[in-house]
Amino acid sequence: MTFGLLWDRQFHTILVQFSPVGATPVRVVRLVILIVSSFYSDASCGSIHMLDRHLSHPWHTLDKAQLLHTLASNEGGLSQQEAELRLRHFGPNRLPEAATRGFVVRILSQFHNLLIYVLLISGAITLLLHHWLDAAVIFAVVLINALIGFLQEGKAEDALQAIRDILSPRAAVVRDNRLLSLDARWLVPGDLVPLQAGDRVPADIRLIRTKGLQIEEAVLTGESLPVEKIDTPLPEETILAERRCMAYSGTLVTRGQGKGVVVSTGTETEIGRISQLVAGVQRLSTPLLRQMSAFGRRLTLAILLLALISFAFGVLLRDYTVSEMFMASVGLSVAAIPEGLPAIVTITLAIGVRRMAGRNAIIRRLPAVETLGTVGVICSDKTGTLTRNQMTVRQIVTPDISLEVSGVGYDPHGRLLCQGEIYSVSVDDPVWRLLRAGLLCNDAELSRETDAWSIQGDPMEAALLTLSLKGDLDPFSERKRTPRTDLIPFDAAHQFMATLHHDHEGRAYVFIKGAPERILDMCQWQTIEGRRELLDKTAWHSRVEALASQGHRVLALAELIDIGARRELRFEDVESGLMLLGLMGLIDPPREESIGAVRTCQQAGIRVKMITGDHAATASAIAAQIGLLNPRQVLSGRQLDEMDDATLQQRVLDIDVYARVTPEHKLRLVSAMQQRGQVVAMTGDGVNDAPALKRADVGVAMGRNGTEAAKEASEMVLADDNFASIVHAVEEGRTVYDNIRKAILFILPTNGGEALVMLSAILLGFHHFPLTPVQILWVNMITAVTLALVLAFDPPQAGVMQRAPRPADERILGGWFLWRIGFVSLILTLGTFALFLWALTLDASVAHARTVAVNTLVMFEIFYLFNARFIEDTAFNHRALFGNRFALPAVGLLLLFQLAFTYLPPMQRLFGTAPIGALAWLLILLTASSILFLVELEKMWLRHFRRNRRQ
């Protein structure tokens, strides 16, 4: 019976021990111990069985007695024996490792392409027919393509490993009434864990005792400030971000002390749940990959069908031998297959990666470069992404005056402003007294490191230090002049902090700061124009609400008037009779560059949406400041829970601000937008963002403040954590897509022309084909490596960020694209075939005629390069010739290759070529140059047609 209770949890472990990989002698011994121990203690197993029934319990609803009873624990902690038994039952407090692709699999995956299969089969049959040279060249081309793809592939998916690294490596734990330090992996439900400032929370913990405990939970909830923790139960419907009696695995203790009981470990924790979300999210294919895959399938079927028909036609109607016709079909297939296209696409993407890196956008997966060009929605986290993640005092309210504060973050460059004019603070000014209170009733430290300011302690207190510097108070001098002698530390139970100070003349001062509703209850007086008056609490509550409605965190400050000669500070000293000094409104301000970036996105037809774990009022205020389209319409996580998927899909594109969301909400929102046909980019920096980052078409993580989990789940990392860098990345993404289209429009007519030349020869019954398979491969690869590669370096087209995002389902080969390919292919075919026939009429050798044909094709490509640099605009301008600094050098290099191809004996033997004379070169140049003028006439007709159509 006891073994049966454990069997469900240990079944997986037993399978591992007996698996072919896991059945080592050590693991067999462990298995025996496991089975024997399962019969060890009926009482222990009974407690574990009880735990199994409560694994999904809403722990935040239990009081201390209920919690300890449910977890079968006590104030002295678990016994070591009980902890070991639970460890065997629940498993270590860690997350499962993700499988990665091996070296061999990565190599073989480069050959998984229909066009490559066709080439491999053609090469194999060519090898069987003893055409060694043709087969070797075909295999070499395939190998080169595979090598390029392998080298360009990014490092393997590692999001789960990054999340595991966040978990605390060591933990303090009470067992057998003794405090121990052990590896956090060995924690189990029921363990008693103390927490103090600087600790990383090692598991999900229900707090049973707190003293000024604050925990930074931004990586999990998106909350911009540390959360004040309590030890009292909360209602069951309390959302994750507001469960103040819980401490979650991976979060950081910033202040105070606490103690709690472990309720979840490993994959059962909130961090573990997110890791399972990441593992279960399927990364979507990019629009380019989907289009190229579909294009490859259609092209392959068309090529095979054409080769089969031409083979049958040649054997049955033109009396070719099977061997001759097979080599002709191979030549036709090789001619039609754009071998260099995968390499050019890859290189174009890689060049985009390099350009983006120069603009602080680091691309982790190549296809994401092009996907950026299709993005129609950017879902952005607020804290640290659109905002600085640095608390800043923005407004000051005293009984006499209201001031605004300029400057952002912890940099003290800024001033106090009254109706736009600089306000000078003087000693005994009520504002000076307010600033001094915030400076002295404060435990934070502010320091400057090189060109950046850093803090130690609470961000809100650091903001008060920054404010004092803006008001020309020197924290060091003030603290030295009026040292602290006693304090009442902040605690969530009483919601304030109080400090006692004495100057060197023996005068005493008491300053208090805290939640405005608490401080107002403790205050009786206020000073107006130097006169002490009774406090109008109703008016002050209205001021608090006005600040809060603007998204500010409100802090109230007061002082004790009648101090006497006391040297100690007690609660009863400050609970009433205080003098209110004023209010401060704090906010995590938006980045200045974010405002411009949002505006640019909107001009480019891209909708920006804020998805945050912060409060609705705060999110709405920031949304209004950065210029989102509908900042006042906010959907909360609770409202999202009440919506079904159909309703959400109807509203998701109209709402721009989402507050108090969980990782599941973010994932659901991204999916809903994708269901509406949007290409979605998701930005974020926390562990809570990882599932949505992976699901999005382009996940964008912050490089400086982002967690490794967010970075590994994303396709792009912003090196400067600047939302504006996304705009630069989108511009590069659109440019990359334009350049890929240019490359396709350049390469495919070459293949089309070659295929038509071969097909024409078969239809006309030629026994000497104008091109051999090896010569076709030479033209395809040499023009791709030189000329087509030039197009990858083309700069952005004019107005690239003023046009709307292209639809994700837009075909890369539209109707007029096919027309252009067919038109240019026909020009190449007629010119090449005509000069081949001309060379044959001179009683020259077939090798001579083929050399003329090959050089004609290459020269056509040289002239057509300048047409292709502008898809619709004219090429008769200065930019066409000099706008790309690689164009003319590439032409020169290609001419050198062709001279070597034509005149070097080793190349003549390899490719079956022969020298040609000056007359042939002259005819080649005249014939090939015609394409430049013919295509420009076609562009002119196209522009005229489109203008008339718009009219």
Side-chain angles (χ1 to χ4, degrees):
M1 175 180 174
T2 305
F3 185 77
L5 292 174
L6 291 174
W7 177 253
D8 60 332
R9 286 299 181 107
Q10 296 175 344
F11 181 67
H12 174 70
T13 306
I14 293 172
L15 287 179
V16 170
Q17 306 293 350
F18 277 131
S19 68
V21 176
T24 62
V26 173
R27 291 189 174 185
V28 171
V29 171
R30 288 177 180 171
L31 177 63
V32 172
I33 295 173
L34 178 66
I35 296 174
V36 171
S37 66
S38 66
F39 294 97
Y40 187 81
S41 170
D42 284 342
S44 295
C45 290
S47 67
I48 290 176
H49 183 55
M50 180 175 64
L51 284 177
D52 278 342
R53 290 187 286 108
H54 294 286
L55 279 177
S56 58
H57 203 288
W59 301 106
H60 59 280
T61 65
L62 303 183
D63 60 26
K64 178 180 175 181
Q66 292 172 321
L67 178 73
L68 293 175
H69 173 74
T70 303
L71 290 169
S73 186
N74 56 70
E75 291 274 13
L78 300 175
S79 67
Q80 190 64 31
Q81 175 184 324
E82 175 70 14
E84 290 175 359
L85 186 61
R86 294 189 185 193
L87 179 65
R88 288 193 294 269
H89 181 63
F90 294 107
N93 178 32
R94 63 184 178 190
L95 304 180
E97 296 186 5
T100 57
R101 293 198 307 168
F103 177 85
V104 175
V105 174
R106 290 177 60 201
I107 283 285
L108 292 178
S109 67
Q110 307 305 320
F111 298 93
H112 185 52
N113 184 294
L114 272 176
L115 294 173
I116 298 299
Y117 292 157
V118 173
L119 283 178
L120 287 173
I121 294 171
S122 299
I125 299 177
T126 305
L127 196 64
L128 293 176
L129 295 174
H130 303 295
H131 292 272
W132 311 111
L133 182 58
D134 298 280
V137 174
I138 292 172
F139 288 134
V141 168
V142 172
L143 188 60
I144 290 170
N145 274 321
L147 183 61
I148 291 173
F150 178 77
L151 293 177
Q152 290 293 346
E153 184 177 298
K155 63 181 181 180
E157 176 72 33
D158 202 20
L160 297 184
Q161 179 62 47
I163 294 177
R164 283 196 301 275
D165 292 342
I166 291 176
L167 299 181
S168 175
R170 302 289 297 179
V173 62
V174 176
R175 286 183 181 170
D176 290 321
N177 286 301
R178 291 187 302 137
L179 183 64
L180 307 173
S181 176
L182 46 73
D183 193 308
R185 290 181 297 172
W186 312 132
L187 289 179
V188 296
D191 265 329
L192 193 66
V193 175
L195 298 171
Q196 59 184 356
D199 285 350
R200 182 77 67 178
V201 179
D204 282 5
I205 294 172
R206 168 64 167 90
L207 298 169
I208 60 174
R209 189 174 303 123
T210 61
K211 185 176 182 181
L213 183 65
Q214 292 186 353
I215 298 181
E216 167 63 63
E217 296 181 342
V219 296
L220 184 65
T221 66
E223 177 68 51
S224 54
L225 287 176
V227 179
E228 301 160 5
K229 294 297 181 178
I230 60 176
D231 54 21
T232 54
L234 293 169
E236 184 172 348
E237 64 272 13
T238 306
I239 63 174
L240 179 70
E242 296 176 358
R243 294 176 188 172
R244 296 168 56 204
C245 60
M246 297 291 298
Y248 292 107
S249 178
T251 58
L252 181 66
V253 179
T254 60
R255 185 174 180 176
Q257 297 177 337
K259 182 178 287 188
V261 181
V262 173
V263 296
S264 300
T265 59
T267 56
E268 300 297 326
T269 63
E270 290 297 323
I271 287 284
R273 192 167 53 81
I274 292 175
S275 77
Q276 291 175 318
L277 279 177
V278 173
V281 172
Q282 181 179 3
R283 193 181 297 280
L284 297 179
S285 177
T286 71
L288 178 65
L289 291 181
R290 293 194 293 269
Q291 291 181 29
M292 293 301 291
S293 177
F295 168 71
R297 289 193 298 270
R298 289 194 295 268
L299 183 61
T300 301
L301 292 175
I303 290 171
L304 292 177
L305 184 61
L306 184 62
L308 183 61
I309 292 173
S310 63
F311 180 85
F313 179 85
V315 172
L316 299 176
L317 300 178
R318 291 299 185 191
D319 297 326
Y320 288 104
T321 65
V322 171
S323 176
E324 285 178 329
M325 202 55 231
F326 177 78
M327 289 308 297
S329 298
V330 168
L332 180 62
S333 300
V334 170
I337 292 175
E339 299 90 354
L341 185 57
I344 290 299
V345 170
T346 301
I347 292 169
T348 305
L349 293 172
I351 291 169
V353 167
R354 184 177 60 81
R355 284 178 174 172
M356 289 183 184
R359 305 181 80 173
N360 295 311
I362 312 301
I363 297 295
R364 301 185 63 252
R365 295 177 179 87
L366 278 181
V369 179
E370 175 273 335
T371 311
L372 281 163
T374 67
V375 166
V377 176
I378 298 177
C379 298
S380 177
D381 185 37
K382 178 185 73 68
T383 305
T385 307
L386 291 168
T387 66
R388 292 177 170 271
N389 198 16
Q390 296 180 351
M391 293 303 296
T392 304
V393 178
R394 275 291 175 84
Q395 293 196 26
I396 297 173
V397 179
T398 71
D400 290 315
I401 196 171
S402 294
L403 302 176
E404 295 181 354
V405 184
S406 65
V408 293
Y410 304 124
D411 187 333
H413 290 88
R415 306 298 299 176
L416 278 60
L417 305 173
C418 179
Q419 297 181 348
E421 300 293 331
I422 295 177
Y423 182 87
S424 297
V425 180
S426 59
V427 178
D428 292 332
D429 183 334
V431 176
W432 182 86
R433 292 164 59 197
L434 177 69
L435 298 186
R436 183 177 66 154
L439 187 161
L440 295 176
C441 188
N442 196 313
D443 288 329
E445 295 291 339
L446 188 65
S447 60
R448 183 169 186 171
E449 300 175 0
T450 61
D451 60 343
W453 289 82
S454 62
I455 68 166
Q456 291 181 346
D458 183 85
M460 291 185 70
E461 292 191 337
L464 301 188
L465 290 184
T466 303
L467 176 66
S468 68
L469 289 169
K470 293 177 181 178
D472 297 325
L473 277 74
D474 181 5
F476 178 78
S477 299
E478 290 296 332
R479 286 172 171 173
K480 187 176 181 180
R481 186 181 299 115
T482 317
R484 181 189 298 178
T485 52
D486 199 9
L487 86 156
I488 298 174
F490 181 88
D491 191 282
H494 53 254
Q495 295 184 304
F496 70 84
M497 172 184 180
T499 55
L500 172 65
H501 302 261
H502 287 83
D503 62 18
H504 299 295
E505 284 76 34
R507 290 187 293 268
Y509 306 88
V510 174
F511 302 111
I512 306 96
K513 76 173 191 300
E517 59 273 13
R518 180 72 173 107
I519 299 298
L520 288 175
D521 286 343
M522 298 160 61
C523 288
Q524 184 179 359
W525 307 100
Q526 63 183 2
T527 301
I528 298 178
E529 297 180 353
R531 302 187 309 273
R532 182 189 299 186
E533 297 183 2
L534 287 174
L535 187 70
D536 185 352
K537 294 187 179 182
T538 302
W540 281 101
H541 279 296
S542 298
R543 291 169 184 167
V544 171
E545 292 176 3
L547 287 173
S549 67
Q550 299 174 41
H552 290 92
R553 301 294 178 92
V554 185
L555 196 65
L557 293 97
E559 65 177 346
L560 183 61
I561 302 172
D562 301 319
I563 302 173
R566 64 174 59 87
R567 306 294 299 183
E568 295 181 354
L569 199 57
R570 299 168 299 176
F571 276 98
E572 52 266 31
D573 295 332
V574 296
E575 285 184 337
S576 62
L578 302 183
M579 172 80 73
L580 181 68
L581 296 176
L583 304 174
M584 292 185 184
L586 299 94
I587 199 167
D588 179 13
R591 297 173 177 268
E592 293 293 332
E593 55 272 23
S594 295
I595 299 172
V598 168
R599 188 183 308 114
T600 302
C601 285
Q602 292 168 350
Q603 291 172 353
I606 300 171
R607 194 80 173 257
V608 179
K609 296 181 181 294
M610 179 191 294
I611 302 178
T612 178
D614 220 330
H615 296 281
T618 304
S620 178
I622 294 297
Q625 292 180 43
I626 65 174
L628 295 192
L629 295 180
N630 294 318
R632 300 306 175 192
Q633 294 186 30
V634 183
L635 274 184
S636 68
R638 189 165 295 169
Q639 290 172 308
L640 290 174
D641 288 333
E642 296 171 356
M643 288 185 182
D644 57 27
D645 290 342
T647 305
L648 179 59
Q649 287 180 26
Q650 289 176 358
R651 300 195 61 189
V652 72
L653 297 185
D654 298 322
I655 303 297
D656 288 339
V657 185
Y658 299 87
R660 283 303 193 203
V661 295
T662 65
E664 290 91 345
H665 292 145
K666 294 182 179 183
L667 188 59
R668 190 178 170 208
L669 286 168
V670 171
S671 299
M673 293 175 199
Q674 290 170 335
Q675 289 294 321
R676 291 290 302 273
Q678 297 294 320
V679 176
V680 181
M682 171 75 191
T683 72
D685 56 3
V687 176
N688 60 321
D689 298 319
L693 286 172
K694 185 177 178 183
R695 171 67 185 185
D697 297 278
V698 182
V700 183
M702 301 298 109
R704 289 183 179 176
N705 296 321
T707 61
E708 286 302 311
K711 295 174 188 176
E712 294 298 335
S714 65
E715 282 78 20
M716 184 170 80
V717 178
L718 300 182
D720 57 354
D721 284 15
N722 190 340
F723 182 82
S725 296
I726 300 175
V727 179
H728 303 317
V730 169
E731 180 182 2
E732 291 294 344
R734 293 185 176 189
T735 301
V736 163
Y737 183 74
D738 287 344
N739 291 347
I740 289 175
R741 293 177 76 214
K742 293 176 187 177
I744 292 173
L745 202 56
F746 178 79
I747 290 174
L748 291 188
T750 304
N751 297 105
E754 292 165 343
L756 286 177
V757 167
M758 295 297 292
L759 190 59
S760 299
I762 294 171
L763 294 175
L764 296 174
F766 278 65
H767 282 275
H768 297 297
F769 296 106
L771 305 168
T772 66
V774 175
Q775 291 171 344
I776 291 170
L777 283 172
W778 165 265
V779 174
N780 288 353
M781 293 306 294
I782 204 66
T783 56
V785 168
T786 54
L787 300 184
L789 188 57
V790 167
L791 298 172
F793 292 93
D794 257 8
Q797 294 184 351
V800 69
M801 288 301 287
Q802 274 70 54
R803 66 191 191 212
R806 74 178 192 278
D809 57 353
E810 179 185 83
R811 290 187 300 170
I812 201 166
L813 293 178
W816 74 268
F817 238 59
L818 294 174
W819 153 256
R820 174 74 61 81
I821 291 170
F823 178 65
V824 176
S825 298
L826 185 61
I827 296 173
L828 266 62
T829 301
L830 293 175
T832 302
F833 210 85
L835 289 186
F836 175 73
L837 293 177
W838 169 80
L840 286 179
T841 61
L842 299 178
D843 295 329
S845 65
V846 174
H848 178 273
R850 285 173 174 167
T851 306
V852 170
V854 170
N855 280 295
T856 303
L857 268 176
V858 171
M859 292 305 298
F860 266 129
E861 291 294 303
I862 289 175
F863 283 104
Y864 179 55
L865 171 69
F866 298 99
N867 295 118
R869 287 204 55 225
F870 300 94
I871 296 176
E872 295 184 31
D873 294 336
T874 179
F876 292 140
N877 57 55
H878 183 270
R879 288 186 301 135
L881 197 59
F882 301 105
N884 187 325
R885 61 191 178 94
F886 296 101
L888 294 179
V891 169
L893 181 62
L894 182 55
L895 291 174
L896 289 177
F897 280 136
Q898 284 307 118
L899 290 174
F901 174 84
T902 304
Y903 296 108
L904 288 183
M907 300 291 280
Q908 291 172 351
R909 288 191 294 272
L910 184 62
F911 291 101
T913 59
I916 59 177
L919 178 60
W921 279 115
L922 179 60
L923 288 174
I924 288 171
L925 285 172
L926 290 174
T927 303
S929 63
S930 65
I931 196 170
L932 181 63
F933 304 99
L934 291 172
V935 173
E936 288 307 308
L937 287 172
E938 182 260 351
K939 286 184 185 179
M940 187 184 303
W941 171 83
L942 179 65
R943 291 194 298 271
H944 177 73
F945 173 77
R946 290 194 169 177
R947 278 196 301 268
N948 290 340
R949 192 174 180 182
R950 284 195 293 267
Q951 293 173 357

